[in-house]
Amino acid sequence: DAKTTQPPSMDCAEGRAANLPCNHSTISGNEYVYWYRQIHSQGPQYIIHGLKNNETNEMASLIITEDRKSSTLILPHATLRDTAVYYCIVRVWGNNNNDMRFGAGTRLTVKP
Amino acid sequence: DAGVIQSPRHEVTEMGQEVTLRCKPISGHNSLFWYRQTMMRGLELLIYFNNNVPIDDSGMPEDRFSAKMPNASFSTLKIQPSEPRDSAVYFCASTLDGGNEQFFGPGTRLTVL
């Protein structure tokens, strides 16, 4: 699986959009971009995934650049409960190994 | 659904003792994963089961660690003998083959004195 690079930490004001970047310049054509988050003292939680098109669900939006070398997770209206470590992972969808490599992630702090 | 269930939630033991961590995956899921999380090393995959069979145990740190999945609804991770450096949070996760998301349990915080 390709390596990803994320900033170690970010702050965001409550109610504003949080934009979390991720670089994955060595991503392969069959690898998807996945985002998970881990709230303090809990297990990681799936947020969203995408291949090349932008994706949106009830939690977030995922914007993937045309060359697929980077992506941005957007939380449109961040709340205090969105404070967590956010992990960007690239992996082959449905890979039988089905394993993911969690890096250090980005620690997002949402401030009142 | 109750989600992935892990027990105990907290375990404190002394060096040299045997430790057994337990996991019940989500009903219907056929893939199960054990992870370990520490400040130094982050979240690491230890072992992965598919249809109760261990597929990849390359992340198991050494022979003191063993994992079993006797049936589709139960798995154990055993450490014998335990050492202080085994102190970590151990997560279990499950998914359906090819599923997009892994569902994680609440974790077991292990402290070895």
Side-chain angles (χ1 to χ4, degrees), chain A residues 3 10 47 56-57 59 66 81 83 106 108 110:
Chain A
K3 185 175 179 180
M10 292 182 63
I47 301 173
T56 295
N57 63 20
M59 290 182 68
E66 191 169 346
R81 288 175 294 181
T83 292
T106 295
L108 174 69
V110 181

Side-chain angles (χ1 to χ4, degrees), chain A residues 23-106:
Chain A
N23 286 324
H24 31 79
S25 58
T26 60
I27 191 170
S28 300
N30 62 345
E31 287 182 315
Y32 285 66
V33 180
Y34 287 75
W35 284 84
Y36 278 71
R37 74 178 181 183
Q38 186 173 22
I39 295 171
H40 182 62
S41 298
Q42 297 181 22
Q45 175 193 23
Y46 166 84
I47 301 173
I48 198 168
H49 77 282
L51 181 63
K52 54 183 179 180
N53 297 323
N54 298 337
E55 302 288 343
T56 295
N57 63 20
E58 65 279 4
M59 290 182 68
S61 294
L62 174 60
I63 309 298
I64 303 174
T65 58
E66 191 169 346
D67 62 6
R68 301 208 325 122
K69 294 184 176 182
S70 65
S71 60
T72 301
L73 179 74
I74 301 172
L75 308 179
H77 306 286
T79 70
L80 298 179
R81 288 175 294 181
D82 292 321
T83 292
V85 177
Y86 287 77
Y87 298 99
C88 170
I89 300 158
V90 293
R91 59 180 290 267
V92 177
W93 181 87
N95 186 8
N96 199 37
N97 280 333
N98 215 17
D99 62 323
M100 296 183 295
R101 302 289 182 238
F102 289 83
T106 295

Side-chain angles (χ1 to χ4, degrees), chain A residues 32 34 36 38 40-49 87 91 93-104 107, chain B residues 9 31 33 35 37 41-43 45 48 50 55-56 58 91 95-107 109:
Chain A
Y32 285 66
Y34 287 75
Y36 278 71
Q38 186 173 22
H40 182 62
S41 298
Q42 297 181 22
Q45 175 193 23
Y46 166 84
I47 301 173
I48 198 168
H49 77 282
Y87 298 99
R91 59 180 290 267
W93 181 87
N95 186 8
N96 199 37
N97 280 333
N98 215 17
D99 62 323
M100 296 183 295
R101 302 289 182 238
F102 289 83
R107 182 173 298 278
Chain B
R9 293 293 310 276
S31 294
F33 309 81
Y35 290 86
Q37 187 170 37
R41 301 176 65 88
L43 197 60
L45 177 68
Y48 153 55
N50 183 255
I55 303 299
D56 181 1
S58 59
F91 290 102
T95 189
L96 193 57
D97 251 357
N100 289 317
E101 64 177 294
Q102 291 186 12
F103 293 82
F104 283 77
R109 181 173 295 278

